[in-house]
Amino acid sequence: VSEQQGAVVEDAGILRALGHMYARRERYADAEEQYCLSQAICMSSGDAGGEGKALLSLGNLYNYQDQYDAAEENFARARVAFGVALDDEWEAKTLDRLILVLAVQGKFDDLRFCCMDACELYGRMGKPMSLISAMNWEMLHSLEAPSKLQSDTPGPSRETL
């Protein structure tokens, strides 16, 4: 990394930190502006990891304001950026945030795919699934269970249980 590139990455991090400060003070428009500037700097300099962090911050900001569609979009974009950066740890954190926002919106088909991706990602990292991923995976299975019980497929009778 050249000295100039290092300065650009540092500037993007400072903007992100400023965005965090604005968000804590509930100055959401100012926070959004700083995160967007940080994301643009990282994107133009080819810093996929920094871009992912800016997009993750935007997603968190929108999620906090109950703007779930915008949060989902930014979490999905952040996940792609962390994938490009080959940063499994940050991708997993972002995937957990995406899983939460999909669950809140009741987007169970998308949630199922993300939970499967989380299982694969955590397995690749040699770690157990996060609590967020595991709980949502279990919730999906519990939602599917009643339909399986009511199906026409033969199963054990009450007498054999």
Side-chain angles (χ1 to χ4, degrees), residues 47-146:
D47 178 12
E51 182 180 0
K53 289 176 183 176
L55 291 165
L56 178 61
S57 295
L58 275 168
N60 286 330
L61 181 68
Y62 294 133
N63 189 43
Y64 184 74
Q65 298 175 79
D66 299 333
Q67 296 177 24
Y68 301 122
D69 289 333
E72 177 186 348
E73 177 185 340
N74 281 280
F75 290 146
R77 291 176 58 204
R79 183 176 171 217
V80 169
F82 290 127
V84 168
L86 302 175
D87 192 329
D88 288 344
E89 292 289 332
W90 278 101
E91 184 179 354
K93 291 175 187 179
T94 303
L95 188 54
D96 284 344
R97 299 300 298 167
L98 181 57
I99 284 170
L100 285 174
V101 81
L102 290 170
V104 166
Q105 295 179 91
K107 294 184 174 181
F108 298 120
D109 289 337
D110 293 337
L111 179 60
R112 181 176 295 103
F113 287 116
C114 282
C115 285
M116 289 187 295
D117 288 350
C119 185
E120 179 183 322
L121 179 60
Y122 281 102
R124 187 171 66 230
M125 294 184 335
K127 295 182 175 185
M129 284 178 74
S130 70
L131 186 59
I132 291 169
S133 297
M135 288 178 65
N136 278 281
W137 186 248
E138 288 299 316
M139 185 239 344
L140 285 170
H141 284 287
S142 70
L143 290 175
E144 292 172 351

Side-chain angles (χ1 to χ4, degrees), residues 15-33:
L15 289 171
R16 216 171 34 255
L18 186 56
H20 296 331
M21 184 198 69
Y22 282 136
R24 280 192 300 276
R25 294 182 179 173
E26 298 181 3
R27 293 177 54 184
Y28 302 129
D30 292 328
E32 179 181 28
E33 180 180 359

